[in-house]
Amino acid sequence: MFHSRLRWFSRLVISLTLAAGLASLAGGAKAQDKRQNAPGEFDFYVLSLSWSPSFCEEAAERGGRSQMQCGGRPYAFVVHGLWPQYENGFPEYCQRPAPRLNRSIVSSMLDLMPAPGLIFNEWDKHGTCSGLEGRSYFETIRKARAAIKIPAEYLDLSQAKTVAPAEVEEAFIKANPGLGSAAISVTCNRTRLSEVRICLSKDLQFRACDEIERRTCRRDQVTMPPIRGG
């Protein structure tokens, strides 16, 4: 009798555990945006501006370099990407395989995104979620970048600079009327400033984005390597 009850209790525990697991999975599915990966169905953009000297130093430490970005012309802030976002989460790889990107588009973007591999990757992962065809998507990137003024102190940084992330954020806010602290995030790695991310509406107006802003670098200070140090 005891062993029979023990087997019954064990089966009950297993059943309840499985049910809880299924409920958890169902809950996770509900939490995911219902528009998941539907091209053109998103809430806003994030324009990500990468501090190129940090990227180049990190690439060198890993034993690899993007020759175009790091070996010739010195770059300051370059466009990492223009990313469609949901209020919570983001779509990616919305068309598989991605429509082929014309080489002339790639060539036309190298002044802002100085690595062909970056351009192809951004199109595959993010551009396909914009609902735009290739040329229109990259024209939108150019318009978004043109809408942002880089603070003067970061245009020709000839020596390494130690900064507080909040200081960089404030400089961008000061240089761009209408940009508020809820629409910008400064990211970093262990020691260096990595990116400035700015949230834009679909018509490229500044807009708040709590989820992005929460990812701001929390370090007191980080380094900005000099432009010619790339």
Side-chain angles (χ1 to χ4, degrees):
M1 176 71 73
F2 173 77
H3 292 296
S4 176
R5 288 181 177 178
L6 182 61
R7 286 195 298 272
W8 175 85
F9 181 74
S10 298
R11 288 197 295 270
L12 177 62
V13 170
I14 292 171
S15 297
L16 290 173
T17 301
L18 288 172
L22 289 171
S24 177
L25 288 172
K30 289 178 182 177
Q32 197 173 51
D33 196 288
K34 294 179 181 179
R35 301 164 296 175
Q36 190 67 29
N37 298 337
E41 296 293 327
F42 62 96
D43 297 313
F44 63 97
Y45 286 115
V46 169
L47 176 67
S48 179
L49 302 174
S50 171
W51 183 246
S52 184
S54 291
F55 167 80
C56 291
E57 286 198 3
E58 291 161 23
E61 290 170 355
R62 293 193 300 268
R65 293 171 71 90
S66 168
Q67 290 300 318
M68 182 174 293
Q69 181 172 348
C70 303
R73 169 184 165 187
Y75 291 95
F77 278 107
V78 300
V79 174
H80 180 176
L82 183 68
W83 306 334
Q85 300 279 307
Y86 303 131
E87 295 296 348
N88 294 290
F90 56 89
E92 59 181 0
Y93 299 109
C94 294
Q95 296 185 61
R96 290 180 182 269
R100 187 175 180 84
L101 196 59
N102 190 296
R103 287 276 178 177
S104 67
I105 298 174
V106 177
S107 298
S108 73
M109 292 301 296
L110 290 174
D111 60 323
L112 298 184
M113 306 173 73
L118 169 65
I119 295 170
F120 281 114
N121 181 72
E122 290 301 300
W123 168 245
D124 290 351
K125 185 174 183 179
H126 301 288
T128 56
C129 298
S130 68
L132 303 172
E133 56 89 28
R135 192 168 299 279
S136 295
Y137 173 66
F138 285 98
E139 286 174 354
T140 302
I141 289 181
R142 188 168 292 281
K143 289 176 183 176
R145 173 61 185 85
I148 305 301
K149 183 177 181 180
I150 305 298
E153 55 264 45
Y154 307 134
L155 291 175
D156 189 18
L157 193 65
S158 60
Q159 295 183 333
K161 185 178 179 68
T162 299
V163 296
E167 174 187 344
V168 177
E169 180 177 304
E170 186 58 35
F172 269 83
I173 290 172
K174 185 177 180 180
N176 293 274
L179 176 63
S181 60
I184 184 172
S185 173
V186 175
T187 70
C188 62
N189 66 6
R190 187 170 55 86
T191 59
R192 301 184 186 99
L193 182 138
S194 298
E195 297 187 342
V196 172
R197 298 174 179 174
I198 297 174
C199 299
L200 302 167
S201 63
K202 288 186 175 182
D203 59 355
L204 306 183
Q205 302 299 308
F206 300 130
R207 60 100 77 192
C209 50
D210 293 340
E211 186 177 29
I212 304 303
E213 194 276 333
R214 284 196 296 268
R215 297 174 188 167
T216 289
C217 177
R218 303 302 177 190
R219 296 190 176 279
D220 292 332
Q221 291 186 319
V222 291
T223 300
M224 295 181 73
I227 291 174
R228 295 189 180 276

